[in-house]
Amino acid sequence: MNFVVLMKCFTTILLFYFYSVSLFSQVDSLKGEIKSIREKVIFLDEKKQNLKLFSSDDDYGHYDFTSPEFTFSRFNNWWFNTPWVHYLNYYQEYDREHKLKSQIWFKKNDSSFIKYYYLYNKNANLIQQKILRFDSSYAIDNYSYNDSATLLTSMSYFSSDPTFYYYSINLYDEQKRIIEKRNYNQDGESGGQKFEYNNKGQKLKILNHYPFIWVKIDDRTTGQKADKIGNDIVSEEYFYNNFDSVSKVNFYNEDFYDRNKAFLYKTELYEYDTKNRKKTASYITDTIIGTREYDYYDNNQLKRERLIAKNSSYNSLIEYFYNIDGMISKVNYVERDKTTVITFKYKFDIKNNWVEQQKIIDGKTLYIRRREIDYY
């Protein structure tokens, strides 16, 4: 693959990411004493499946299944903001204190491929997560807390490689703000993060800490050299406006030519209206300059979102409409002067929790999000 083709692929992926993240997010507040939830997405047209970047992608898309949190976030974002969908198929169990006990995730053929089990202490803090995979391998994450329920340590073990483990320690200041995270593995300290704040307690910087420095071995190669002090490289840098809202974020990576230094690879700029609602968000890199513009209804619900990418035809407009309960009922999605009308229909159970969502594209019902809820 030559450089030009590689850069086109890279730009496509950045555009794919840029248009996949929206400000809108519908809150799903479950009511009643939930015992279990079984949810699945149903495709009514074999030719209209979940969105994939490449044809070889997994049932859960290009990034496959990485975690329940990422899968839920990505799915909800595409479900409510675009004509396309990702995939969900899972079962969850809860205890009487509303804590998640376990969850199982399934492929499209309903075969399970990963299971999660959770344990809590008397203060309802998560103390163990066990992840069991389809090949019977597993991972265990253990957590410990102080008397204020602040996370102190975490430790991970993987059955596929019993000689490897991951251990981290969190350090806090007198205001209970995390100031350092130290990471270790079977070989000793592996790195970590440091956090800096201003006198208002706002985060100013995140720095990646390395227990080594990069040194030149010969004219062509460099290598790591253990160092007692190590090296701190800035990762993120935050700026605030007069209303204490984030106005700018700089993101850094290691410099390709000197890995002991950082270089700025992306900047995000934010502007707010007189009610301190986000008005614009701009994303600046070497290859893409993109901007999102937001309008709101009088009740502060998002009304309109414009996406503008410089030197690209992938500009779009998203308009939101809500029912009397504040749930999204219709979305007008405009891209390249073509408008797609997305409507949503809901069904509820006796506890007023939704048990079905229909996603209708230009008058045709293509996707159904259905869940069964059992109560104590």
Side-chain angles (χ1 to χ4, degrees), residues 82-189:
T82 77
W84 311 289
V85 299
H86 274 290
Y87 190 59
L88 283 181
N89 191 355
Y90 69 90
Y91 171 79
Q92 293 179 333
E93 273 192 303
Y94 294 82
D95 63 19
R96 287 188 174 274
E97 284 72 45
H98 313 291
K99 299 188 299 294
L100 182 62
K101 290 169 53 180
S102 63
Q103 56 181 320
I104 305 171
W105 287 80
F106 305 89
K107 298 288 189 179
K108 286 185 177 179
N109 62 5
D110 286 331
S111 62
S112 63
F113 64 93
I114 194 167
K115 301 177 181 180
Y116 292 78
Y117 300 93
Y118 306 95
L119 295 176
Y120 303 84
N121 63 16
K122 62 181 180 180
N123 296 320
N125 300 125
L126 179 67
I127 58 174
Q128 187 179 91
Q129 172 184 260
K130 183 175 182 179
I131 306 172
L132 180 62
R133 302 186 181 278
F134 70 94
D135 60 359
S136 297
S137 65
Y138 63 88
I140 295 178
D141 301 316
N142 290 320
Y143 307 93
S144 68
Y145 304 82
N146 62 16
D147 293 337
S148 301
T150 301
L151 179 65
L152 295 179
T153 67
S154 62
M155 185 173 183
S156 300
Y157 167 83
F158 307 91
S159 66
S160 58
D161 187 359
T163 62
F164 176 82
Y165 71 89
Y166 179 84
Y167 182 73
S168 67
I169 301 174
N170 294 337
L171 303 178
Y172 301 85
D173 61 16
E174 294 179 352
Q175 286 74 43
K176 298 181 180 180
R177 301 173 303 197
I178 186 169
I179 56 174
E180 188 172 354
K181 182 176 183 179
R182 297 175 182 174
N183 300 326
Y184 302 86
N185 58 29
Q186 71 282 354
D187 297 319
E189 185 180 4

Side-chain angles (χ1 to χ4, degrees), residues 282-303:
S282 299
Y283 308 85
I284 304 171
T285 70
D286 288 339
T287 54
I288 292 179
I289 299 178
T291 300
R292 294 175 182 270
E293 299 175 346
Y294 306 103
D295 298 315
Y296 301 86
Y297 290 101
D298 291 339
N299 63 359
N300 294 326
Q301 285 185 306
L302 186 63
K303 180 178 182 180

Side-chain angles (χ1 to χ4, degrees), residues 15-30:
L15 281 168
F16 188 79
Y17 167 78
F18 175 65
Y19 286 103
S20 67
V21 181
S22 173
L23 183 66
F24 174 81
S25 177
Q26 180 157 285
V27 178
D28 184 17
S29 299
L30 289 166

Side-chain angles (χ1 to χ4, degrees), residues 270-288:
Y270 305 104
E271 294 181 350
Y272 302 83
D273 63 18
T274 55
K275 294 184 177 181
N276 205 29
R277 301 173 300 193
K278 190 175 291 184
K279 184 172 67 174
T280 64
S282 299
Y283 308 85
I284 304 171
T285 70
D286 288 339
T287 54
I288 292 179

Side-chain angles (χ1 to χ4, degrees), residues 5 14 43 51 73 87 155 191 211 215 271 282 302 325 330 339:
V5 174
L14 284 175
F43 301 91
L51 185 67
S73 174
Y87 190 59
M155 185 173 183
V215 296
E271 294 181 350
S282 299
L302 186 63
D325 297 316
K330 188 176 80 168
T339 299

